[in-house]
């Protein structure tokens, strides 16, 4: 289940708070909320951009998949290589993999940098 967004940038901008005798500095709160609104708008733009890119890439993949034909040079009896489906990969995972590949390629020349 995906979390939903509660506030829009306009909701944050229009929010009023009750005033108390020992309340926060209105100027500081407003400046902070202005920055929150900017970040919020940036996140909304990034999400929109990524959704559009995701849709475009899915379309490209669907076109390539539908256009793909079996290669005549590879016999049906040839072993098929299955690649694991990539899920979330972190920078740490990438660094560990690079370290293993460097050791494989360069052997003892690479200083041991185990993670």
């Amino acid at each position: 289940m995906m979390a939903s967004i509660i506030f829009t940038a306009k909701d944050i901008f229009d929010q009023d708070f009750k005033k108390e005798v020992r309340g926060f500095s209105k100027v500081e709160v407003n400046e902070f909320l202005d920055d929150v609104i900017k970040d919020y708008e940036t996140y909304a733009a990034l999400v929109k951009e990524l959704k559009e890119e995701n849709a475009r890439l899915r379309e490209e993949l669907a076109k390539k998949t539908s256009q793909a034909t079996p290669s005549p040079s590879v016999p049906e009896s040839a072993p098929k290589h299955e690649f694991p489906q990539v899920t979330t990969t972190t920078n740490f995972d990438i660094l560990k993999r690079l370290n293993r590949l460097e050791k494989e390629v360069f052997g003892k020349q690479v200083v041991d940098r185990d993670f």
Side-chain angles (χ1 to χ4, degrees):
M1 183 170 149
M2 193 169 155
S4 61
I5 296 174
I6 298 172
F7 298 110
T8 65
K10 185 173 179 358
D11 293 334
I12 297 168
F13 180 78
D14 291 341
Q15 179 64 40
D16 282 326
F17 298 94
K18 295 177 186 170
K19 294 180 178 147
E20 305 254 337
V21 175
R22 299 182 136 218
F24 294 104
S25 162
K26 186 174 180 178
V27 172
E28 282 185 40
V29 171
N30 286 336
E31 287 175 356
F32 178 77
L33 288 176
D34 287 344
D35 289 339
V36 170
I37 290 168
K38 287 176 191 171
D39 282 352
Y40 207 81
E41 289 170 339
T42 301
Y43 288 130
L46 285 171
V47 167
K48 181 182 176 191
E49 181 182 322
L50 290 172
K51 283 182 178 180
E52 289 170 356
E53 180 182 11
N54 192 4
R56 181 183 55 78
L57 292 172
R58 286 179 187 268
E59 281 180 32
E60 285 180 22
L61 180 61
K63 285 178 186 176
K64 287 181 181 180
T65 304
S66 66
Q67 293 173 356
T69 56
S71 175
S73 62
V74 178
E76 294 272 336
S77 61
K80 295 181 181 173
H81 297 284
E82 292 187 23
F83 297 100
Q85 187 172 1
V86 177
T87 54
T88 305
T89 304
T90 63
N91 287 343
F92 183 73
D93 295 329
I94 293 169
L95 289 172
K96 285 187 346 188
R97 186 170 179 194
L98 282 172
N99 187 33
R100 285 193 304 267
L101 289 171
E102 285 177 341
K103 285 180 182 177
E104 203 54 43
V105 172
F106 299 110
K108 302 271 186 211
Q109 295 173 4
V110 176
V111 176
D112 192 16
R113 297 182 307 219
D114 285 336
F115 290 93

